[in-house]
Amino acid sequence: MFKKIGAVALSTGLVLSAVSIPVFADKPESPGKGHGNGNGGKKVENIIYMIPDGFSADYASNYRVYKGEDAVWDAHLKGMYTTHSANADITDSAAAGTAMATGVKTDNGVIGLDPEGNELSTILEASEEDGKSSGLVATSTITHATPASFVANVEDRNNQTEIARQYISSEVDVLLGGGQNMFLPEADGGNQEELNLIEQAQESGFTYTETREELLESTDIDVEEGEKLLGLFAEDALSPELHRDQTEEPSLAEMTEASIDVLNQDKDGFFLMVEGSQIDWAGHANDAAWAMSDVAAFEEAVEAAMEFAKQDGKTLVIVGGDHDTGGMTTGSGAYSGLNADILNNVTATGDFMAAQLNEDRSNAKEIVEEHTNLTLTEAEVQSIQNASDAALAINHVVSDHASVGWTSTNHTGADIPIYAYGPQSDKFTGFFDNTDIPKTLANILKVNLDN
């Protein structure tokens, strides 16, 4: 059965056939098109920078099949960009996040420093210097590599306790995600040696929330009066979207909406970074259902941002991943068709299903069929029973049924599509590098990103 995948593939081809244009250069505007379509030189007061970690063009194509119609971003494809780091053809999230926040390449594993160790300023900080409020949202620990790249300066991305300390002493107004342990002292089960950064945050003006209900009741915070919002909804990362209904955690869309409600009170505008963190983790696991369900959760957040931008008229929404993860393919086997829609029936991650297997894995067929609505062959059951990594074997069986292929369990060097909606979105048209994105944003906001 034919599934609709043409929009991104065709648009991508058109983009790549164009002459490469440095995206930060001044370019002719498109007059009279309105704020939804590219819209000339209309003033931008707010930036919502949305990063689906690990997402690439094949994720976009498979997601369209999974959803059964175009995604909200498909009509707003502008270009593609390269992602290599300073010391590797294939970037990690720290180097990619740093490039996307500062406009400077750095080495893998490094956040907010150039390869010589010099501290870099970010587009978020440049926005703050211009009087804007700021926020970070993620479904990982909020101290993870991508959100950290917009505020912190550390040699090692794994130093999340130091990143937490830098957050609390920074000017950022909203922090929402997982990672309570990064803010709590060891005496309270956390990872800080002695500091209780949650208490310090509260003393410095942060309202602290731990549950979805608390978050939804806290949006009357007045950033104009110096009030801030810290929401840490899990000890570590938030749950995969497939398991969110078993928690008291807010969705990515709810965190995005709450952040906008708080930050929009600033008359000078705001800068908000939103990361769909676990698309990347699903890619590492080759877990197609986890990937697609977290893309769906990310799309709900993008819809919320674009709806605000549509009503506001002065907000630019940028959507672009930091790199591809897993080398996902749209289709596998010999012209087998596209079946990613069957992933809607999957109710658990491969990791969860593997954890339900008994010692000899004799219940593999029962467990996988219960959570996938698939009928497994004997060969597929044996592949799970004999595998050194049961979760990966389950994920490959499910992916094969969905006609989703994988080439890696790590990142790849694939080029990444960028989507933009709102005033001056046409400035992202073309083929460029990830470092050009913050430079273009600085140009649009007329702020100084001096690196």
Side-chain angles (χ1 to χ4, degrees):
M1 180 177 177
F2 174 75
K3 305 292 198 310
K4 184 177 179 183
I5 65 165
V8 164
L10 176 59
S11 299
T12 299
L14 292 173
V15 167
L16 293 177
S17 67
V19 175
S20 179
I21 302 172
V23 77
F24 48 88
D26 290 332
K27 296 190 290 184
E29 304 293 356
S30 304
K33 290 189 177 181
H35 65 260
N37 293 314
N39 41 347
K42 276 196 170 185
K43 184 178 180 181
V44 175
E45 291 188 356
N46 310 313
I47 300 290
I48 306 178
Y49 196 168
M50 310 194 73
I51 301 177
D53 198 308
F55 181 94
S56 60
D58 273 284
Y59 280 77
S61 297
N62 275 316
Y63 181 65
R64 198 174 306 107
V65 179
Y66 172 86
K67 184 181 181 183
E69 60 185 21
D70 287 355
V72 67
W73 46 70
D74 282 337
H76 308 291
L77 178 69
K78 300 301 179 186
M80 296 193 79
Y81 52 90
T82 53
T83 65
H84 62 91
S85 68
N87 68 337
D89 292 330
I90 298 176
T91 189
D92 80 327
S93 290
T98 298
M100 296 173 77
T102 71
V104 177
K105 296 285 189 186
T106 195
D107 295 342
N108 285 353
V110 177
I111 288 174
L113 305 171
D114 69 16
E116 287 71 46
N118 300 305
E119 289 192 0
L120 300 169
S121 59
T122 73
I123 184 61
L124 180 147
E125 292 166 338
S127 300
E128 290 173 340
E129 290 175 4
D130 195 46
K132 299 183 187 300
S133 56
S134 64
L136 301 173
V137 175
T139 55
S140 60
T141 57
I142 194 61
T143 49
H144 218 257
T146 301
S149 297
F150 286 81
V151 174
N153 310 97
V154 293
E155 293 181 357
D156 184 352
R157 58 178 287 178
N158 295 315
N159 193 355
Q160 294 191 52
T161 53
E162 172 58 24
I163 291 166
R165 288 192 286 271
Q166 292 186 27
Y167 279 165
I168 299 306
S169 62
S170 75
E171 299 299 317
V172 70
D173 299 284
V174 174
L175 295 163
L176 301 179
Q180 292 170 0
N181 286 345
M182 303 305 168
F183 292 78
L184 291 173
E186 293 175 354
D188 293 333
N191 296 340
Q192 293 285 344
E193 288 187 8
E194 297 180 358
L195 295 175
N196 188 321
L197 293 179
I198 293 175
E199 289 183 355
Q200 288 190 16
Q202 291 172 309
E203 292 169 359
S204 64
F206 279 92
T207 295
Y208 178 58
T209 63
E210 290 184 311
T211 66
R212 174 181 181 271
E213 183 177 355
E214 290 176 354
L215 175 67
L216 299 181
E217 292 175 352
S218 65
T219 55
D220 58 349
I221 291 166
D222 190 347
V223 291
E224 290 275 293
E225 296 297 322
E227 298 176 358
K228 299 183 176 186
L229 176 61
L230 172 64
L232 301 173
F233 307 106
E235 293 180 356
D236 195 13
L238 302 187
S239 298
E241 188 61 26
L242 284 170
H243 302 294
R244 180 151 330 274
D245 59 357
Q246 303 165 32
T247 74
E248 295 183 4
E249 302 166 2
S251 69
L252 185 60
E254 288 169 335
M255 291 191 290
T256 301
E257 290 169 342
S259 300
I260 292 171
D261 287 344
V262 170
L263 298 175
N264 190 42
Q265 297 177 42
D266 191 330
K267 65 181 186 303
D268 296 314
F270 65 83
F271 185 101
L272 174 63
M273 193 290 300
V274 177
E275 184 194 31
S277 316
Q278 298 189 30
I279 300 167
D280 169 70
W281 299 355
H284 281 293
N286 288 185
D287 191 328
W290 182 7
M292 292 298 98
S293 59
D294 263 80
V295 171
F298 181 77
E299 185 187 25
E300 290 182 6
V302 174
E303 287 174 334
M306 286 187 177
E307 181 59 30
F308 171 79
K310 180 179 179 181
Q311 299 299 323
D312 175 69
K314 296 172 289 187
T315 298
L316 174 62
V317 180
I318 300 296
V319 179
D322 51 354
H323 51 71
D324 169 78
T325 304
M328 176 187 277
T329 66
T330 310
S332 62
Y335 306 107
S336 58
L338 301 176
N339 302 305
D341 52 332
I342 71 170
L343 298 171
N344 285 284
N345 298 321
V346 178
T347 60
T349 64
D351 287 335
F352 179 90
M353 288 185 269
Q356 310 309 306
L357 298 177
N358 54 28
E359 187 174 354
D360 62 1
R361 301 181 185 173
S362 60
N363 62 340
K365 181 178 175 68
E366 173 190 349
I367 293 297
V368 175
E369 292 186 349
E370 176 187 353
H371 291 289
T372 64
N373 200 35
L374 297 173
T375 300
L376 271 58
T377 66
E378 184 57 33
E380 290 170 334
V381 172
Q382 289 182 3
S383 73
I384 297 168
Q385 292 173 334
N386 298 333
S388 58
D389 184 335
L392 186 63
I394 291 170
N395 291 337
H396 284 174
V397 167
V398 174
S399 292
D400 286 345
H401 280 265
S403 301
V404 174
W406 301 95
T407 65
S408 174
T409 55
N410 214 319
H411 300 173
T412 79
D415 298 332
I416 303 300
I418 188 167
Y419 312 85
Y421 176 87
Q424 304 192 51
S425 58
D426 283 345
K427 286 194 173 180
F428 294 90
T429 300
F431 182 58
F432 45 93
D433 186 67
N434 57 5
T435 54
D436 293 324
I437 301 172
K439 295 174 186 176
T440 303
L441 292 174
N443 176 276
I444 289 169
L445 292 174
K446 297 180 172 58
V447 298
N448 183 24
L449 184 62
D450 185 12
N451 286 316

